[in-house]
Amino acid sequence: MLRLKDEISYLLSTLTDLDQLQIKELLEEPPEKSMGNLSFPCFVLAKTEKKPPPQIAADLAQKLSEQKRTYWTKVENKGPYINFFMNYYAVGKELIPELLENDLLAKWCNVGNGKTVVIDYSAPNIAKPFGIGHLRSTIIGNALYLIYQALGYNCIGINHLGDWGTQFGKLLAAYRLWGDEEKLKKDPVNYAYELYVKYHEEAELDDSLEDTAREWFRQLEEGEKEATDLWKTFCDFSLEEFKEVYAMLGIDFDYFLGESFYNPHLEETISLIKAKGITKVSEGALIVDLEPYELPSIVLRKKDGTNLYITRDLAAAIYRYQTFNFTYMLYVVGSEQSLHFQQLFKILELMGFEWAQQCYHIPFGLIRFKEGRMSTREGNIILLREVIEKAKKFAYQIIEDKNPELANKEKAAHAVGVGAIKFGDLCNDRVKDIDFEWEKVLDFSGDTAPYIQYSHARICSILRKAKSEQKEVTINSNFYEAMEGFSFQLEREEEKDLLRALSMLPDILLQGAATNKPSYLARYLVEVAREFSRFYHNCPVLSVEGDKFQSRILLIQATQEVLAKGLKLLGIEALEEM
Ligand code: ARG
């Protein structure tokens, strides 16, 4: 579609006083197929042209119809709109080889070349279970990472582990009071969490516990050996467990840099802030006064000398800018932390860092699991491992029913189960809360990963069959050579619709990155899979011959590429068989 946009915006820029970029931004997808593939609303021209928009549309459509062009055929005016109709043949002839030779994205959306994006995602807390909020951050952050990477950005994925803070004082205190080494070894993260819960229960009854915890944290901040060793044990155990979860999800990070990593930088960060004259001492604590900016003031350092989450985030942001010189930094963190990020960015701005404008909080809503379906624990925390295991089990059952002959059902169940969880998240606008229902995310014919994976596998099976019938002239061979000998045919509506859908991939990825919403890509893949299904229902491939066969086989190969690439960018495996 970018081809059309380029050509139309160029021609329109020669006929109006708008520039190409303005025109591109105004071009929209018409609500109905009968209105063509792209439409230009003429309202903006009314002022300069001093004519009513429908008149402008009519005049421009007339002029446009006389212009030489490649990627669109017909132009029509409808009310204040100019509607353009794609030349499917011309687009397909370029799009399909670009897809099959894997240079579509490099050619059309290499917007990130030379730019770096730092993405802060996942960031679970040491000694606490990996909860659903962290799962959302992990899945959305990973998809954004992959999408930016596909657009040519240099991506830096950082896991800002919650490995510091007063809660460690509580944990150490609890462990020294009630801890049992055997239990810790057996199930470290859950056991640590139990201790943490117990601490809170006991602290209700006994005030002195708070002092004990504070004292442990002070020792930790001062680097005293016993506290540090114990803290390190908890970190190692948790990290080991988190890494197992990441392995299950097939997700990795460039850096694991927890909050504690920035401790050595805190003094300097605080001096920098003080030097700007924006701090105050209030009841012994050092605060940044943000009231003039209509934000609540925030504590940087408590009366007892301990530092806070925001202090470490300030040091982390500065460190990351110095180290990576990012063009953008994205914090993929739940919307409940919006205020924290407003405060963080404001302080960075007040410190005089222009790059504060390049930092974005990418918030997301909550997931609610339908009551009674998931086992919940104290504090209503749903354990991620259980969610993954359950998804795999469900997926296995479905595969067992549908395709009992399948080799390696275990592997397929993993890909389908994990894919369903990821897609069940990614297909929603991230800002909204999600009601997660197993039936919905695993439905093989719904708007789900299994549906897209299944469409992909179906195409692979058709291609295998074509190959085995020796009808493989164009399959995986040089496209241009293959194109030489026949004329590319797109006669039926379904073929055109499928091609139109395929042509949208670059547009969708650009939109996904511009809004930081992988949901555009997720929903797009459903659309491609639906178009494929309509196409395949109406346009037989293996039973036709000659140019028709060649054209259709190319079209489905290109579809397979789009589905495989798209799934991969969402962090979901495309299966050849399922
Ligand atoms: N560990 C934090 C939490 O669970 C999230 C950290 C997000 N990243 C950041 N730089 N603050 O709430």
Side-chain angles (χ1 to χ4, degrees):
M1 208 58 89
L2 294 173
R3 271 166 256 263
L4 257 82
K5 286 185 188 159
D6 276 352
E7 193 172 72
I8 293 169
S9 61
Y10 171 72
L11 290 175
L12 272 172
S13 73
T14 64
L15 299 171
T16 64
D17 59 3
L18 299 174
D19 65 38
Q20 261 190 278
L21 208 70
Q22 289 170 301
I23 298 169
K24 272 191 203 173
E25 278 177 5
L26 287 167
L27 283 169
E28 51 189 61
E29 213 181 314
E32 265 172 54
K33 243 168 65 181
S34 64
M35 299 175 180
N37 304 88
L38 276 177
S39 231
F40 182 78
C42 294
F43 306 104
V44 280
L45 296 168
K47 233 191 185 151
T48 48
E49 304 262 327
K50 302 201 171 52
K51 277 187 286 188
Q55 183 63 48
I56 301 171
D59 295 349
L60 279 175
Q62 174 57 36
K63 284 187 195 149
L64 281 162
S65 67
E66 291 155 10
Q67 304 283 328
K68 232 180 113 225
R69 69 265 188 172
T70 308
Y71 301 116
W72 50 277
T73 48
K74 198 166 64 162
V75 59
E76 271 177 9
N77 57 300
K78 189 154 195 193
Y81 291 91
I82 311 174
N83 295 335
F84 298 87
F85 293 77
M86 185 189 278
N87 180 341
Y88 292 96
Y89 177 75
V91 170
K93 228 173 63 177
E94 292 181 15
L95 171 72
I96 291 182
E98 283 168 2
L99 271 170
L100 299 190
E101 300 192 346
N102 210 10
D103 51 11
L104 179 76
L105 300 185
K107 235 181 188 155
W108 289 97
C109 28
N110 197 9
V111 290
N113 202 359
K115 297 182 186 154
T116 295
V117 191
V118 169
I119 308 182
D120 176 321
Y121 64 109
S122 195
N125 299 316
I126 296 294
K128 286 194 188 163
F130 193 124
I132 290 298
H134 298 116
L135 174 63
R136 288 212 73 187
S137 171
T138 310
I139 292 174
I140 298 170
N142 184 242
L144 288 174
Y145 183 100
L146 297 169
I147 292 171
Y148 273 95
Q149 200 173 46
L151 301 182
Y153 287 91
N154 170 37
C155 294
I156 311 279
I158 301 182
N159 195 328
H160 190 74
L161 295 162
D163 65 357
W164 207 257
T166 46
Q167 70 273 25
F168 288 95
K170 298 173 186 173
L171 180 62
L172 298 191
Y175 186 71
R176 273 294 170 257
L177 284 168
W178 313 297
D180 175 335
E181 211 179 319
E182 284 310 303
K183 281 191 185 161
L184 180 67
K185 278 201 186 122
K186 244 171 83 199
D187 188 5
V189 174
N190 286 324
Y191 182 58
Y193 188 62
E194 266 170 43
L195 282 173
Y196 189 71
V197 171
K198 182 171 165 92
Y199 170 89
H200 280 279
E201 284 164 7
E202 300 281 334
E204 292 271 303
L205 312 170
D206 177 359
D207 286 347
S208 75
L209 271 181
E210 287 203 14
D211 291 332
T212 317
R214 203 169 299 128
E215 174 54 21
W216 273 103
F217 187 54
R218 194 194 57 74
Q219 290 190 24
L220 190 58
E221 286 236 291
E222 259 143 53
E224 285 183 27
K225 190 165 176 343
E226 191 190 353
T228 308
D229 286 352
L230 198 49
W231 166 77
K232 192 127 195 353
T233 311
F234 282 112
C235 290
D236 291 346
F237 277 141
S238 290
L239 202 55
E240 213 174 286
E241 191 150 334
F242 294 158
K243 285 191 175 169
E244 276 173 34
V245 169
Y246 294 133
M248 285 168 107
L249 292 171
I251 286 178
D252 206 358
F253 298 84
D254 298 308
Y255 298 94
F256 283 89
L257 294 178
E259 292 184 38
S260 66
F261 176 80
Y262 304 98
N263 283 341
H265 302 275
L266 299 183
E267 258 335 301
E268 200 195 329
T269 305
I270 290 183
S271 324
L272 280 174
I273 303 173
K274 273 186 174 163
K276 292 286 167 189
I278 50 176
T279 54
K280 277 206 298 223
V281 176
S282 166
E283 293 171 36
L286 183 69
I287 64 163
V288 186
D289 180 12
L290 293 174
E291 252 139 61
Y293 313 98
E294 286 170 25
L295 287 169
S297 294
I298 188 163
V299 179
L300 285 183
R301 176 168 279 173
K302 284 196 214 160
K303 194 168 147 195
D304 62 8
T306 54
N307 301 300
L308 287 107
Y309 180 51
I310 185 91
T311 326
R312 290 184 285 277
D313 249 335
L314 284 158
I318 298 168
Y319 172 86
R320 290 170 186 175
Y321 189 73
Q322 285 170 349
T323 311
F324 303 114
N325 192 17
F326 54 75
T327 310
Y328 305 115
M329 172 151 66
L330 312 180
Y331 293 90
V332 186
V333 184
S335 43
E336 69 282 356
Q337 290 193 31
S338 284
L339 179 60
H340 167 79
F341 287 103
Q342 284 175 42
Q343 291 168 312
L344 174 65
F345 301 158
K346 184 46 99 186
I347 299 172
L348 291 170
E349 186 194 316
L350 294 173
M351 291 175 81
F353 295 124
E354 274 168 31
W355 51 262
Q357 312 298 331
Q358 292 148 235
C359 299
Y360 297 89
H361 175 211
I362 311 302
F364 51 81
L366 304 168
I367 302 190
R368 278 183 299 260
F369 282 79
K370 251 176 117 186
E371 207 45 60
R373 307 230 151 232
M374 286 307 300
S375 56
T376 56
R377 297 193 171 237
E378 266 144 308
N380 244 359
I381 288 191
I382 297 157
L383 292 184
L384 181 63
R385 196 191 289 272
E386 291 173 18
V387 176
I388 299 175
E389 289 301 339
K390 182 155 182 163
K392 273 175 74 171
K393 229 166 80 200
F394 277 162
Y396 193 92
Q397 275 161 12
I398 300 175
I399 293 170
E400 184 74 59
D401 285 348
K402 290 204 177 227
N403 188 3
E405 312 285 73
L406 184 69
N408 213 341
K409 276 180 271 193
E410 195 56 48
K411 188 178 167 283
H414 183 89
V416 171
V418 170
I421 295 175
K422 289 183 177 176
F423 197 89
D425 183 326
L426 294 171
C427 68
N428 300 286
D429 188 330
R430 62 174 161 72
V431 213
K432 298 201 180 119
D433 292 347
I434 302 176
D435 282 311
F436 190 94
E437 290 172 51
W438 286 108
E439 295 76 7
K440 251 199 200 150
V441 302
L442 281 161
D443 181 352
F444 274 52
S445 56
D447 294 356
T448 62
Y451 173 62
I452 301 165
Q453 286 169 316
Y454 181 67
S455 309
H456 178 268
R458 204 158 144 214
I459 298 177
C460 290
S461 132
I462 302 166
L463 294 173
R464 277 194 302 272
K465 212 151 172 206
K467 247 184 188 166
S468 74
E469 289 172 12
Q470 311 276 304
K471 286 176 128 181
E472 59 176 300
V473 196
T474 59
I475 296 174
N476 294 333
S477 67
N478 185 313
F479 178 87
Y480 294 98
E481 265 168 45
M483 282 299 273
E484 292 280 292
F486 79 104
S487 83
F488 191 45
Q489 293 186 355
L490 288 165
E491 296 159 347
R492 293 192 57 107
E493 272 312 291
E494 295 85 1
E495 292 172 301
K496 292 179 188 165
D497 289 345
L498 180 56
L499 186 86
R500 183 204 59 83
L502 300 180
S503 79
M504 295 290 291
L505 180 66
D507 307 60
I508 295 291
L509 294 180
L510 290 171
Q511 197 176 14
T515 54
N516 291 307
K517 288 186 177 176
S519 51
Y520 282 105
L521 176 58
R523 287 198 290 251
Y524 165 73
L525 293 179
V526 172
E527 186 194 325
V528 171
R530 296 242 180 271
E531 290 297 357
F532 167 72
S533 154
R534 280 188 40 230
F535 159 84
Y536 197 58
H537 190 78
N538 295 293
C539 309
V541 178
L542 295 173
S543 60
V544 295
E545 298 288 333
D547 289 356
K548 194 173 262 180
F549 168 76
Q550 294 296 347
S551 304
R552 289 182 180 173
I553 207 93
L554 282 170
L555 204 50
I556 66 169
Q557 266 185 284
T559 308
Q560 186 227 323
E561 282 296 330
V562 168
L563 293 179
K565 210 181 287 291
L567 283 172
K568 202 166 153 212
L569 296 182
L570 295 178
I572 299 172
E573 225 179 304
L575 297 164
E576 309 223 329
E577 261 180 291
M578 68 186 260

